[in-house]
Amino acid sequence: MFVAGLALVPALHAEQSPSYGPHLEGFDYPHAIKRFEFSSQRQPLEMGYMDVAPPPGKANGRTVVLMHGKNFCAATWEESIAVLSQQGYRVIAPDQIGFCRSSKPERYQFSFAQLAHNTRALLRSLDLEKVTVIGHSMGGMLASRFALNYPQMVEQLVLVNPIGLEDWQAKGVPYAPIEQLYQSQLKTDFGKIKAYQQKFYYNGNWKPRYDRWVNMAAGMYAGDGKEIVAWNQALTSDMVFTQPVIHEFDTLRVPTLLLIGGKDRTAPGANRAPEDVAQRLGNYPELGQKAAAMIPNATLVPFPELGHSPQVEAPDVFHEALLDGLKAH
């Protein structure tokens, strides 16, 4: 659950996190987890997902698919799920293969195209033909790939502080082999995750309620399945670094809403880059404007005082902007 290559951020202090299983057994999700069983790359796999209906009589006929980030799970969307369902949306929130409540294969060729294909298969199994896709962090890269590959299924694309608004390798960040990423992941713990999130996500301002999400991530590294968790995180870190989507933004053909916290400085691999390169990475106010200019039908809503997870940091502000953006379409 931890962005590979950034495990060397100093820990704030030693803290204990709960111990969860490799499929996040023991962590409470806000809604019941359902299972989508399918075959992919010559092996049986399962995607855990939440399917939350709006209250009786409130359905607006639209379905929202929430795509989590790399250091997050579907559960991180709990406040957004509550808000969206109360507004009449059906909400589908899957954990992608390699993450959280879903399968963690020993061997899998991870790609955003494959994960998008898996998600399409899930939606088809639910007889859904048209959805609004909302992606946060790494989920923004996946949501973009989904919209690029299956535009006929997407009525609206929403990107919440997506990573991948810049091509880190092209900007000078050196490649790290998967074995190196794996060894870094094995050192992950509560303190390192919290230190990283405090520095890059929340502009140094920590609130006790954020600890729940650190515990969620760290708990899988504290359990018996930490090796397979770390291995899948290393594989997906390689996917994030080597499969940029920014170069295709000008070919997006769906209405796109960009919700960008300006204090975010997330830049996977920045710690292994030369200092002059690292200093130029993760400038989200600039990256958001450039992305909006590239996408043909884009609306940019900046949150200058918020960081990487505006839906967690300031849910009232975030959800007001999100609902306005969804209604405008």
Side-chain angles (χ1 to χ4, degrees):
M1 301 304 300
F2 184 53
V3 172
L6 286 165
L8 299 180
V9 176
L12 298 182
H13 51 275
E15 297 185 62
Q16 294 297 315
S17 67
S19 176
Y20 299 129
H23 296 133
L24 204 51
E25 297 93 340
F27 182 85
D28 291 331
Y29 270 51
H31 300 277
I33 291 291
K34 299 183 178 182
R35 295 281 168 191
F36 172 54
E37 298 179 357
F38 64 107
S39 178
S40 178
Q41 299 183 22
R42 301 178 65 186
Q43 58 191 311
L45 297 174
E46 286 188 358
M47 286 178 71
Y49 68 98
M50 291 177 282
D51 184 352
V52 183
K58 286 193 128 181
N60 63 15
R62 294 179 67 181
T63 298
V64 167
V65 178
L66 301 175
M67 296 184 172
H68 62 80
K70 190 173 187 302
N71 297 346
F72 306 87
C73 297
T76 318
W77 288 110
E78 66 177 3
E79 291 192 66
S80 299
I81 293 171
V83 169
L84 289 165
S85 62
Q86 282 296 320
Q87 291 296 316
Y89 295 90
R90 179 183 179 181
V91 183
I92 310 295
D95 281 330
Q96 296 297 326
I97 294 300
F99 295 90
C100 309
R101 287 292 179 89
S102 293
S103 298
K104 294 173 181 63
E106 286 281 356
R107 296 171 182 83
Y108 202 65
Q109 184 167 324
F110 278 97
S111 70
F112 287 116
Q114 177 69 70
L115 298 185
H117 177 83
N118 297 346
T119 304
R120 182 182 67 156
L122 166 64
L123 298 178
R124 283 182 164 180
S125 76
L126 300 173
D127 295 323
L128 290 168
E129 297 180 356
K130 202 83 169 178
V131 295
T132 291
V133 182
I134 303 177
H136 169 240
S137 192
M138 179 202 76
M141 296 182 79
L142 176 55
S144 299
R145 175 54 58 202
F146 189 94
L148 287 163
N149 286 14
Y150 311 114
Q152 71 281 1
M153 291 190 70
V154 180
E155 61 181 0
Q156 189 175 8
L157 173 65
V158 182
L159 302 178
V160 182
N161 279 76
I163 60 172
L165 296 183
E166 57 190 335
D167 184 337
W168 307 290
Q169 194 161 219
K171 287 194 171 183
V173 178
Y175 176 76
I178 292 172
E179 291 83 358
Q180 177 182 329
L181 298 175
Y182 174 61
Q183 292 302 320
S184 178
Q185 292 288 345
L186 287 174
K187 299 173 185 175
T188 300
D189 60 21
F190 183 99
K192 291 184 175 69
I193 295 175
K194 184 171 180 176
Y196 171 74
Q197 292 192 5
Q198 182 165 20
K199 179 178 179 180
F200 289 94
Y201 288 6
Y202 301 108
N203 200 39
N205 300 315
W206 193 261
K207 297 177 182 176
R209 59 189 175 88
Y210 302 158
D211 285 344
R212 167 169 161 78
W213 308 119
V214 178
N215 280 325
M216 178 186 69
M220 287 193 291
Y221 288 99
D224 292 338
K226 72 176 185 178
E227 288 84 4
I228 192 61
V229 171
W231 181 244
N232 274 249
Q233 285 295 302
L235 294 174
T236 51
S237 292
D238 181 83
M239 172 184 72
V240 165
F241 187 72
T242 60
Q243 299 176 29
V245 292
I246 183 67
H247 306 299
E248 298 175 63
F249 271 13
D250 60 349
T251 66
L252 278 167
R253 292 296 179 262
V254 300
T256 302
L257 175 66
L258 289 154
L259 301 174
I260 304 295
K263 297 294 186 183
D264 192 359
R265 290 297 177 267
T266 305
N271 73 305
R272 62 178 184 261
E275 184 63 25
D276 62 323
V277 172
Q279 290 297 321
R280 295 195 298 269
L281 300 175
N283 184 343
Y284 268 78
E286 178 181 296
L287 294 173
Q289 290 178 359
K290 287 184 176 180
M294 289 181 68
I295 299 170
N297 186 5
T299 301
L300 172 63
V301 179
F303 305 114
E305 299 306 315
L306 301 181
H308 185 63
S309 301
Q311 76 275 31
V312 174
E313 188 177 2
D316 291 344
V317 172
F318 171 80
H319 289 119
E320 181 179 3
L322 173 62
L323 293 174
D324 286 347
L326 294 178
K327 291 173 184 175
H329 173 63

